[in-house]
C-alpha cells in the first residue's frame, strides 16, 4: 500500500512539474494587450499581433475606457502590453506613481486636432464660445499648446510648455471659455461646445474624419504613441516586439493606402527601436 501511495504521489508530482513547464513555454504563452477606444487596438491586431503569433504567442485584446487603468493593469501583471499613450504621458504617469514600465517602440500616430460641428472657420468664433480639452495633466497642456499654435490663445512663455494650464493663458482674443473634461468625452462635447481638442485615437473612435479638423498638430517625438511593457520583460518580450515592428510585414500594413494608418504621422527619426 505504501509503495502504491508513493507511486501515485510521484506521478502527480511529475504531472504538476510537466504542466508548470508547459506554462513557462513561450510557445503557449498568452499575451493580454491593453488598448483604449480608437484605432490602436486595430493597429495591434492587424500589424503587430500576426508577427507575435508567428513567434508562438497567443494574443488577447482588452479595451479600457480611460487613460489610467492600462498602466496600472500592466504594472499589476493583469496585462502584458499596452498601446494607447504617447511617450510624454507614459513618462509623467510612471514617475508620479513609481511604476517600473518601459516604452519599447514607437508606432505611427494620429495627431490631435481642433474639431467643430458648429463652425467651419475660426473667424466665426464669438466671445464666450466654449472649447473643451482633455483634463489630464499631459494632454491638457498639449491641447493648450495646440490652441496657441492655431492662433486662438497665447500662453505665458515663462511657464514650461509641458506644464501650462488654463490659468497660464495671457491672451484670449476670442474670449474663449476653456473647459477641461475627461479625454474620452471630448468628441461627444462637440454636440454642445463650439470647439473641442480631440486626441487622434478618440477622434477616430468617434467616427470623426481627421481631415475635417480645423487645425491638426504636428507631432514631436514625445507625442508619438508607444508600445509599453514591464521593464523586467525588456530583454525577452521587448526584443520580440521590436523585431515585429521593424519587419516588412508591419510596414506593409501601415503603408496600405486603403487603411486608416496610412494617414498617421511618422517621425523623421528611427521609429522602430527602443523608445527610451
Amino acid at each position: 500500500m505504501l509503495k502504491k501511495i508513493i507511486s501515485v504521489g510521484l506521478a502527480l508530482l511529475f504531472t504538476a512539474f510537466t504542466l508548470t513547464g508547459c506554462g513557462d513555454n513561450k510557445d503557449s504563452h498568452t499575451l493580454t494587450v491593453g488598448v483604449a477606444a480608437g484605432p490602436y487596438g486595430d493597429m495591434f491586431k492587424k500589424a503587430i499581433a500576426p508577427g507575435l503569433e508567428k513567434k508562438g504567442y497567443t494574443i488577447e485584446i482588452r479595451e479600457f475606457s480611460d487613460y489610467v487603468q492600462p498602466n496600472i493593469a500592466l504594472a499589476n501583471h493583469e496585462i502584458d502590453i499596452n498601446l494607447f499613450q504617447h511617450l510624454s504621458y507614459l513618462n509623467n504617469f510612471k514617475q508620479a506613481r513609481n511604476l517600473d514600465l518601459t516604452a519599447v517602440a514607437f508606432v505611427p500616430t494620429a495627431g490631435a486636432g481642433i474639431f467643430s460641428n458648429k463652425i467651419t472657420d475660426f473667424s466665426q468664433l464669438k466671445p464666450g464660445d466654449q472649447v473643451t480639452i482633455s483634463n489630464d495633466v499631459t494632454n491638457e497642456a498639449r491641447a493648450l499648446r495646440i490652441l496657441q499654435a492655431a492662433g486662438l490663445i497665447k500662453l505665458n512663455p515663462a511657464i514650461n510648455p509641458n506644464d501650462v494650464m488654463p490659468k497660464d493663458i495671457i491672451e484670449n482674443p476670442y474670449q474663449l471659455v476653456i473647459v477641461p473634461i475627461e479625454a474620452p468625452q471630448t468628441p461627444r462635447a462637440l454636440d454642445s461646445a463650439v470647439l473641442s481638442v480631440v486626441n487622434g485615437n478618440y477622434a477616430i473612435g468617434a467616427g470623426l474624419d481627421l481631415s475635417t479638423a480645423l487645425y491638426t498638430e504636428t507631432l514631436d517625438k514625445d507625442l508619438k504613441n508607444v508600445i509599453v511593457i514591464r521593464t523586467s520583460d525588456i530583454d525577452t518580450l521587448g526584443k520580440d516586439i521590436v523585431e515585429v515592428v521593424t519587419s516588412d510585414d508591419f510596414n506593409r500594413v501601415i503603408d496600405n493606402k486603403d487603411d486608416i494608418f496610412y494617414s498617421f504621422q511618422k517621425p523623421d527619426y528611427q521609429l522602430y527601436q527602443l523608445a527610451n
Side-chain angles (χ1 to χ4, degrees), residues 123-194:
S123 63
Q124 299 170 314
L125 288 167
K126 299 175 182 177
D129 281 346
Q130 287 192 347
V131 182
T132 56
I133 64 175
S134 301
N135 65 359
D136 63 90
V137 175
T138 301
N139 285 303
E140 181 178 74
R142 174 188 185 183
L144 292 171
R145 295 195 303 271
I146 292 171
L147 293 173
Q148 176 171 254
L152 300 180
I153 61 172
K154 184 175 181 180
L155 298 166
N156 187 342
I159 306 299
N160 185 321
N162 294 320
D163 298 327
V164 290
M165 297 184 288
K167 68 181 180 63
D168 299 314
I169 297 172
I170 58 175
E171 292 183 17
N172 188 356
Y174 292 96
Q175 300 177 48
L176 301 174
V177 177
I178 309 298
V179 182
I181 61 175
E182 294 290 331
Q185 303 301 319
T186 52
R188 301 189 186 104
L190 289 168
D191 292 333
S192 55
V194 176

Side-chain angles (χ1 to χ4, degrees), residues 28 48 54 58 69 73 80 91 100 109 115 117 126 137 146 149 151 155-156 158 176 180 183 185 198 206 219 249:
S28 62
I48 301 169
K54 287 180 180 179
T58 299
Q69 293 308 312
D80 304 288
N91 287 338
D100 196 12
T109 306
F115 293 85
N117 287 343
K126 299 175 182 177
V137 175
I146 292 171
L155 298 166
N156 187 342
L176 301 174
Q185 303 301 319
V198 185
L219 294 169
D249 289 340

Side-chain angles (χ1 to χ4, degrees), residues 32-33 62 64 69 72-80 230:
T32 303
V33 183
R62 178 178 170 187
F64 292 83
Q69 293 308 312
I72 301 298
L74 181 58
N76 290 340
H77 293 251
E78 296 170 19
I79 63 175
D80 304 288
R230 288 180 291 278

